[in-house]
Amino acid sequence: MEKQELLDKAKEAIVDADEEEAFHLILEAENQKLDLLDLLLLGFGAGNQEIGDRFDRGLLSLPELIYAAEVMKNVTNRILGILNSDGREACSFSAKGTILLATVAGDIHDIGKGIVASTLRTAGFEVIDLGCEVPVESILEEAKKRRVDIIGTSALLTSTMIEQKKLEKLLVETGEKKNFRTMVGGAPCTPRWAKKIGADGYSEDAVEAVKVAAKLIEEKWKK
């Protein structure tokens, strides 16, 4: 099976919430010595994005979304488990730190952030995942309590992106902006959005999130 065909089938497996097929594709990729992280991000991750888009458009019910999301979670754990057991890491960086992640208030999308969290942990970061629908006040409170280096927020709906802006405003108003680096992500987010609201970084996917996080940690330690 060619790599692109495998990626296409992986996407389809998530859309169809077919866990048995998904695990078969992981085994197939291992046998062919294909990059499992590519399979996770470009294959299964694409399927995860598709179910999120369908839900936003009203083409998928909440139970269907939850079921597909559970399959995605199990697939992610299986792949990252293989990478860790083989002594491999998704990425390797000398700069490590503590990152707090949360999906903002009003947004139930949690799986994409879960992939980012798992990949960051594999790369050696300590990750505190607050889950979904987290108010900005709670995000800041936990960040201060845990003394994290980076706050990363996810917004998968255009209607909830404003929460990321609210967090940046809260950080400035409370004088806490200097103590944390911030990252934003999610389907509607862009580098332009990050710059507009005052966030320090933006990542499109889990691998880029690790690179951005490492850069932000390095910048923080230099000051």
Side-chain angles (χ1 to χ4, degrees), residues 154-214:
S154 174
L156 273 292
L157 304 172
T158 54
S159 59
T160 59
M161 291 171 66
I162 192 66
E163 293 295 318
Q164 294 175 322
K165 184 177 180 179
K166 282 174 61 178
L167 176 62
E168 295 296 334
K169 183 179 179 181
L170 181 62
L171 287 169
V172 172
E173 290 177 344
T174 57
E176 294 290 343
K177 179 63 177 175
K178 64 182 181 296
N179 296 324
F180 305 103
R181 295 295 183 269
T182 56
M183 295 171 55
V184 296
C189 299
T190 62
R192 183 179 178 182
W193 170 248
K195 184 177 181 180
K196 180 179 179 180
I197 65 175
D200 300 300
Y202 158 82
S203 62
E204 184 176 9
D205 56 43
V207 172
E208 186 180 1
V210 174
K211 296 176 182 178
V212 172

Side-chain angles (χ1 to χ4, degrees), residues 38-206:
D38 277 352
L39 181 66
L40 176 61
L41 298 175
L42 305 179
F44 296 122
N48 185 58
Q49 182 63 54
E50 176 66 21
I51 63 172
D53 291 343
R54 291 188 184 187
F55 180 75
D56 289 344
R57 299 199 307 269
L59 302 177
L60 203 69
S61 69
L62 181 58
E64 289 174 315
L65 175 68
I66 293 173
Y67 187 47
E70 185 65 23
V71 173
M72 185 66 196
K73 178 180 178 181
N74 293 338
V75 164
T76 300
N77 289 339
R78 174 68 66 90
I79 289 179
L80 294 179
I82 293 170
L83 292 175
N84 287 330
S85 66
D86 286 352
R88 292 176 282 172
E89 287 189 341
C91 305
S92 180
F93 294 91
S94 58
K96 309 298 180 184
T98 303
I99 304 174
L100 182 145
L101 297 178
T103 301
V104 296
D107 202 320
I108 65 169
H109 295 79
D110 204 35
I111 301 303
K113 175 182 59 57
I115 295 174
V116 171
S118 297
T119 307
L120 285 167
R121 289 189 182 105
T122 302
F125 291 91
E126 180 181 352
V127 178
I128 300 163
D129 190 345
L130 299 184
C132 58
E133 296 193 281
V134 186
V136 295
E137 293 82 5
S138 298
I139 292 173
L140 178 54
E141 181 181 351
E142 287 297 318
K144 291 165 61 179
K145 183 188 303 182
R146 309 290 189 95
R147 298 183 179 180
V148 305
D149 299 295
I150 298 173
I151 300 172
T153 56
S154 174
L156 273 292
L157 304 172
T158 54
S159 59
T160 59
M161 291 171 66
I162 192 66
E163 293 295 318
Q164 294 175 322
K165 184 177 180 179
K166 282 174 61 178
L167 176 62
E168 295 296 334
K169 183 179 179 181
L170 181 62
L171 287 169
V172 172
E173 290 177 344
T174 57
E176 294 290 343
K177 179 63 177 175
K178 64 182 181 296
N179 296 324
F180 305 103
R181 295 295 183 269
T182 56
M183 295 171 55
V184 296
C189 299
T190 62
R192 183 179 178 182
W193 170 248
K195 184 177 181 180
K196 180 179 179 180
I197 65 175
D200 300 300
Y202 158 82
S203 62
E204 184 176 9
D205 56 43

